Amino acid sequence: CLYIRRDIAASIDLPFMRVLCQVDGLTVAYGNHAPVLRDVCLQIHAGETVGLMGASGSGKSTLAAVLHGWLPP
């Protein structure tokens, strides 16, 4: 299980906050193996700090690699 922790710098909700990164329905598999990530949805706004937490093999590094463009989605 992969957990995403989000902390927003401002304590008020600003609906006009700019989205820096958005992922909808991301599935990633290595070769012909079962997916490491399945149907991931994530939206990161300006001013947010996002931390990925999970057990070894849960997909944290894979998600980071896809977001950086090191792996194809």
Side-chain angles (χ1 to χ4, degrees):
C1 187
L2 178 66
Y3 299 97
I4 300 174
R5 179 178 171 180
R6 303 161 70 98
D7 291 323
I8 300 177
S11 61
I12 56 174
D13 184 32
L14 301 175
F16 55 85
M17 288 180 66
R18 188 170 48 122
V19 174
L20 295 179
C21 177
Q22 182 168 339
V23 175
D24 289 316
L26 174 68
T27 298
V28 179
Y30 292 100
N32 294 327
H33 298 283
V36 177
L37 300 174
R38 185 184 321 242
D39 200 27
V40 174
C41 297
L42 173 69
Q43 190 175 75
I44 302 171
H45 293 96
E48 285 186 314
T49 299
V50 178
L52 301 176
M53 300 176 285
S56 179
S58 62
K60 302 176 300 291
S61 296
T62 300
L63 179 59
V66 170
L67 293 177
H68 280 287
W70 301 331
L71 285 176

